[in-house]
Amino acid sequence: TVNLTDKNLLVIGLGLIGGSLAKACRQNKIFASISGFSRKAETMSDALSLGLVDEVSDDLQALVSKADVIFLAVPILSTPIVMAQIQPYLRNDTIVTDGGSVKGTVVKAGLELLTDAQLKMFVPGHPIAGSERSGVTAADEHLYIDHRIILTPIAETEPEAVQVVSQMWKSVGAEVDIMAWDYHDEVLAATSHLPHMLAFNLVDTLSKQSENREIFNYAAGGFRDFTRIAASDPTMWHDIFIANHRAILKVLDSYLDELHKLRNAVAVSDGEYMKFVFQEAKEAREHFS
Ligand code: NAD
């Protein structure tokens, strides 16, 4: 195991994902110190008073220069902008990792902006944990316990850097998987991005059709379960759909084909086809808890 207790962690973007990591690391005394930076001064003072970090500062250069590990947790389209801001101050032994939901954008930004030495310390990642809540007040030190973290190191990344980031995540109770970034983006398009699109779309469609949203008074548990994620942050999801549009369109198109077949089965009352689809889905769904 790697020793992190003499290192400084800098979290940039003190919202749900960054704030939760900072808080969990601080409470478990994983690092020597934890610094925080966020776009708004108010977020930084909240992070300090909520006990998420040891210090905040608006002097990004000073924070980056002394950081051993930097965790970027800003919306995905802001990640390349922040990477460009910190790049001039990165030491060659500073590890840069992130929690962004789409890895292609982050990998591309790293390859464009970082030097060869900095790329050795570059470990893109994505925690498969979260919620429909956002912002600094949503930070939760238990968020990552028993959740999976996917790391997507590139060819240039040194194994030692992956080890440090893995150790950080394991220390806050998470499990770490390693995956190629493009495979990650395809998998998450299917398991996360498509379901969010369907939830946003369904709630929006019904709300347009129903005066005063009266229809939702009659929504039962199934509707609530299915649409919880439609309360997610619009900016974050706007970024994800732009960043991962290619993989999303691929899975969306095959979904639409299947939905169309089901529509036709309903139109002609093809009960056999419907039963077949529902049965297959039931078995697949019962396969995971
Ligand atoms: P959030 O809105 O809760 O937090 C983002 C924080 O970044 C905010 O404090 C915001 O002020 C700050 N910020 C925005 N632009 C910035 C900039 N240019 N410089 C510095 N700070 C900036 O969002 P979140 O849910 O924590 O998401 C952060 C990242 O984690 C996103 O890339 C998202 O894709 C990813 N992610 C989210 C979830 C989830 O369920 N919410 C799960 C996994 C990964």
Side-chain angles (χ1 to χ4, degrees):
T1 57
V2 205
N3 190 18
L4 303 177
T5 54
D6 60 348
K7 298 193 191 313
N8 167 264
L9 170 70
L10 168 62
V11 176
I12 300 182
L14 294 164
L16 172 75
I17 293 300
S20 296
L21 180 69
K23 194 173 184 189
C25 285
R26 191 159 183 257
Q27 293 202 344
N28 293 299
K29 300 188 168 52
I30 312 295
F31 289 92
S33 60
I34 300 176
S35 317
F37 179 88
S38 215
R39 195 179 33 166
K40 295 192 213 119
E42 197 192 338
T43 307
M44 291 204 267
S45 62
D46 285 349
L48 204 55
S49 56
L50 289 166
L52 310 185
V53 293
D54 299 305
E55 62 153 4
V56 291
S57 164
D58 52 16
D59 186 348
L60 192 57
Q61 174 171 1
L63 291 175
V64 171
S65 315
K66 77 163 185 183
D68 298 300
V69 179
I70 300 180
F71 180 64
L72 306 177
V74 299
I76 202 73
L77 296 184
S78 300
T79 304
I81 300 169
V82 173
M83 219 188 273
Q85 286 171 340
I86 64 171
Q87 188 277 332
Y89 316 122
L90 288 173
R91 302 192 318 258
N92 283 347
D93 63 344
T94 306
I95 293 175
V96 175
T97 186
D98 78 300
S101 309
V102 180
K103 301 301 357 128
T105 312
V106 179
V107 167
K108 192 163 162 274
L111 290 171
E112 277 172 13
L113 297 165
L114 302 180
T115 63
D116 290 350
Q118 290 164 348
L119 280 176
K120 293 183 178 173
M121 298 290 115
F122 178 49
V123 188
H126 177 211
I128 309 301
S131 85
E132 68 284 7
R133 301 184 56 221
S134 63
V136 66
T137 53
D140 169 9
E141 68 272 35
H142 304 297
L143 185 67
Y144 301 116
I145 295 175
D146 294 334
H147 280 267
R148 272 172 202 276
I149 310 299
I150 301 177
L151 299 182
T152 62
I154 56 172
E156 290 83 344
T157 312
E158 294 275 356
E160 290 74 20
V162 179
Q163 259 183 3
V164 169
V165 177
S166 299
Q167 180 69 31
M168 172 182 81
W169 284 114
K170 287 178 191 163
S171 306
V172 299
E175 261 179 68
V176 175
D177 281 342
I178 308 284
M179 209 181 260
W181 67 265
D182 48 347
Y183 182 61
H184 166 280
D185 286 358
E186 275 183 29
V187 170
L188 270 291
T191 57
S192 171
H193 309 164
L194 178 63
H196 276 81
M197 177 180 272
L198 302 184
F200 282 130
N201 178 252
L202 178 64
V203 174
D204 180 56
T205 304
L206 298 188
S207 114
K208 277 185 203 141
Q209 283 176 4
S210 158
E211 212 160 298
N212 301 324
R213 300 172 177 158
E214 190 249 3
I215 197 175
F216 297 122
N217 295 339
Y218 306 103
F223 186 79
R224 275 170 211 284
D225 290 349
F226 187 81
T227 59
R228 174 181 60 79
I229 53 180
S232 301
D233 183 57
T235 301
M236 171 180 152
W237 281 96
H238 149 278
D239 279 23
I240 290 172
F241 284 110
I242 289 178
N244 203 24
H245 74 273
R246 210 195 322 207
I248 291 170
L249 283 183
K250 198 173 145 199
V251 67
L252 178 61
D253 285 345
S254 64
Y255 174 78
L256 289 174
D257 285 346
E258 293 301 323
L259 186 63
H260 204 72
K261 283 191 215 158
L262 205 48
R263 183 221 170 264
N264 291 344
V266 172
V268 300
S269 297
D270 183 350
E272 215 158 311
Y273 181 77
M274 287 185 248
K275 248 196 198 160
F276 172 75
V277 171
F278 299 162
Q279 186 60 35
E280 295 264 296
K282 180 174 160 64
E283 273 165 33
R285 182 62 182 81
E286 281 168 354
H287 204 69
F288 72 94
S289 57

